[in-house]
Amino acid sequence: MRLKLYLLIWILLGSAIATYGQEYNELTFDQLLEQLLEELEEDVDASEISERWSYYLKNPIDLNKTDGRELHDLLFLSVIQIESLLAHRKESGDFISKQELQSIIGFDLRTVQYLLPFVTVSGDMHYRDFTVKNFLKSKQEVMLRYGRLLQRAKGYSITDTARSRYIGDPNRYTVRYRLNYNDKIRLAINMDKDAGELFFRDKQQYGFDFYGASLSIRDLGKVKHVVIGDFALQIGQGLTMWNGLSFGKGSMIESSARQGIGLRQYTSLNEANFLRGVAGSLTLGKFEFTPYISYRKIDGNMEKVNDDWVISTLSTSGLHRTPTEQRYRNAIGQLVYGGNLLYSKNRFKIGGNFVATHLEGVKLLGKALENKYDFEGNLLRNASLYYNYTYRNSYFLERLLRVLMKDMLG
C-alpha cells in the first residue's frame, strides 16, 4: 500500500512534466501506473519506476539509436512490440517523426500515447566534444527528501534495553545526486536514512545508514557499457541472475516473460538487491560478453561455532532500527563474479551465464519447510542457458538451468 501511495503522489506532482507540452491524456498515465502496480512484487522499491520515467521524460530515448533495451526500461512495452519497432526501423529506415509509431504493427493508439513523451528523434551524440568544461556543464540534479509519520510508533516509547526497540529518531532523510553528460556518462549518488535508524551518532558516526554511488559510461567502441560502483544484472529469465525490478503474475501477459536487459546502472534506494564492483559489456560482432565482479557487505546473523563462522540468518530488509538489526548490519562479506555470453541475430537470441557466490561464513539450512531446498555452505555456483525468438505475433522462450553447488564446511 505504501508503494502505491508513493507512486500516486509522484505521478500527481509530475503530471505537468508528464504531459511534455502536448495534449496527451493525463488519465492514461494514471491507468498505466495502476496497471503496473498490480504486477509489482511486494518487496520491490517502487521509487525505481518513478526515477526511470522521470529520467526518460527529461532525456527521451532516441528511436533511431536504441537497440531496444531502453524501451524495456519503460516496462509497459512487450517484447513483441519492441521487436516490431526495431524491425520497422530496419525495413523502412530511420524515423523521421515520432508519429510514425502509429504505423507499427502491434501499436494501438493508447500504447503510442504512453510512449510519445518518453521518445525522440534526434541526431548523433559523440565524445568528440568532450571537455572538462562541457562535462561540468552537464545536466545535474540534487533531490532532498524528508519524511516523518505523524503518529509515534511504539518502538520509540520502549525504554527497557532488554526489549526490541528503535534506537534512532523517527525522521527519514534522503539525498540523491544525478549527473548526465549527453546520455553517455552518468553519475548517481544516493544517501538514505530510514525512520528509527541512527544518524551521526553511536554506530552511525558517518551519518546516513546507506551510501551508494555508480558511474556509467556508454559507447566506447566495442565496449558498449561499463559501470563502476553499484550495478544490477538482469540476465535471461532471471534463474541465475536478476537484480532490481521484477513482476509477479498479473493481467499484463507480457509480464509472464521477463525482459532481461543485461547490465544496468543501479540507482535505487533498495539496500539489498544489487551488486557493487565493476561490470562491462563488450560487443564482438553478433556476440556480447558481460563479465562482472562484486564485493559488498550484506546483512545477517553470523556467529562463531567450533572455530567456524556460521550464518544462521540473511536479512534483506535494509532496515537497521533495533539493536538486533544493527548487529546484523554489514556482518557478512559476499563476493560475486561471473560472465554472460549472448548471441543475437535478427529476432533470435541465445545466451549462457555463469555466476559464483562466496560467503565469508557457512550458511546453514533453515528449519522451515520453505528452506528445504535452500542453499547450504559458503560457495554456490550456477550456470544457465536461455533463448528467445519472436516470429510475427508469437514469442518463444526457454530456460535451461544447471546448478553446481559445493559446500565447504571446514
Side-chain angles (χ1 to χ4, degrees), residues 139-151:
K139 296 179 182 178
Q140 301 182 58
E141 296 179 0
V142 177
M143 187 192 80
L144 307 176
R145 187 172 69 189
Y146 168 80
R148 178 168 178 161
L149 292 177
L150 296 179
Q151 66 271 27

Side-chain angles (χ1 to χ4, degrees), residues 186-395:
R186 295 169 60 182
L187 174 64
I189 298 176
N190 292 329
M191 293 175 277
D192 183 58
K193 180 259 182 196
D194 291 305
E197 296 178 339
L198 296 170
F199 191 58
F200 282 109
R201 66 183 181 87
D202 298 332
K203 294 183 179 180
Q204 283 301 118
Q205 296 293 329
Y206 297 103
F208 291 90
D209 177 74
F210 173 73
Y211 290 92
S214 58
L215 176 65
S216 169
I217 305 174
R218 292 181 177 273
D219 302 330
L220 292 172
K222 293 184 178 180
V223 180
K224 187 175 183 179
H225 192 192
V226 175
V227 178
I228 302 171
D230 297 348
F231 64 93
L233 291 166
Q234 298 181 348
I235 295 174
Q237 289 296 298
L239 291 182
T240 57
M241 179 59 70
W242 194 279
N243 309 122
L245 285 170
S246 60
F247 291 79
K249 296 178 180 179
S251 59
M252 298 173 67
I253 187 63
E254 58 267 26
S255 67
S256 63
R258 292 188 172 187
Q259 302 178 23
I261 60 175
L263 173 64
R264 62 175 295 108
Q265 184 182 23
Y266 187 81
T267 60
S268 173
L269 291 175
N270 186 309
E271 301 179 27
N273 193 18
F274 69 96
L275 300 172
R276 176 168 289 172
V278 181
S281 293
L282 299 84
T283 55
L284 302 170
K286 291 182 173 58
F287 288 91
E288 179 180 312
F289 179 55
T290 304
Y292 50 89
I293 184 168
S294 163
Y295 179 82
R296 58 182 292 255
K297 294 287 189 176
I298 60 176
D299 294 351
N301 183 30
M302 188 163 67
E303 301 174 334
K304 202 163 189 178
V305 179
N306 298 327
D307 296 328
D308 291 325
W309 287 103
V310 174
I311 302 169
S312 58
T313 302
L314 291 176
S315 175
T316 59
S317 70
L319 298 173
H320 309 108
R321 305 159 299 179
T322 67
T324 299
E325 291 174 344
Q326 275 288 323
R327 182 165 56 86
Y328 286 3
R329 182 178 183 269
N330 297 336
I332 305 166
Q334 180 193 62
L335 174 66
V336 179
Y337 60 87
N340 181 70
L341 183 63
L342 176 67
Y343 173 82
S344 303
K345 184 176 181 180
N346 298 327
R347 297 190 175 193
F348 175 75
K349 297 180 180 179
I350 185 169
N353 179 57
F354 170 80
V355 56
T357 302
H358 295 256
L359 298 175
E360 294 179 351
V362 178
K363 180 182 178 296
L364 299 181
L365 194 65
K367 296 181 180 180
L369 184 61
E370 63 184 12
N371 303 128
K372 183 176 181 180
Y373 298 103
D374 203 356
F375 162 67
E376 185 176 41
N378 68 349
L379 172 62
L380 176 66
R381 293 177 291 186
N382 292 326
S384 65
L385 178 67
Y386 58 91
Y387 76 84
N388 62 71
Y389 175 67
T390 57
Y391 177 73
R392 295 185 178 179
N393 291 328
S394 300
Y395 178 61

Side-chain angles (χ1 to χ4, degrees), residues 120-187:
T120 188
V121 175
S122 62
D124 293 333
M125 292 183 179
H126 301 286
Y127 284 103
R128 60 173 175 260
D129 298 324
F130 179 83
T131 63
V132 175
K133 184 177 181 180
N134 289 339
F135 180 73
L136 294 177
K137 291 182 179 179
S138 303
K139 296 179 182 178
Q140 301 182 58
E141 296 179 0
V142 177
M143 187 192 80
L144 307 176
R145 187 172 69 189
Y146 168 80
R148 178 168 178 161
L149 292 177
L150 296 179
Q151 66 271 27
R152 183 178 176 83
K154 184 178 180 180
Y156 299 108
S157 304
I158 299 174
T159 57
D160 186 354
T161 57
R163 297 175 58 190
S164 179
R165 66 198 188 284
Y166 294 161
I167 57 179
D169 61 75
N171 302 309
R172 178 175 184 180
Y173 309 106
T174 300
V175 178
R176 290 187 177 192
Y177 170 78
R178 300 289 184 267
L179 179 147
N180 179 22
Y181 175 78
N182 286 343
D183 207 27
K184 302 292 185 182
I185 301 176
R186 295 169 60 182
L187 174 64

Side-chain angles (χ1 to χ4, degrees), residues 103-118:
S103 64
I104 300 177
I105 297 176
F107 279 66
D108 56 19
L109 180 59
R110 177 168 293 183
T111 301
V112 174
Q113 286 181 323
Y114 288 160
L115 187 56
L116 282 175
F118 297 103

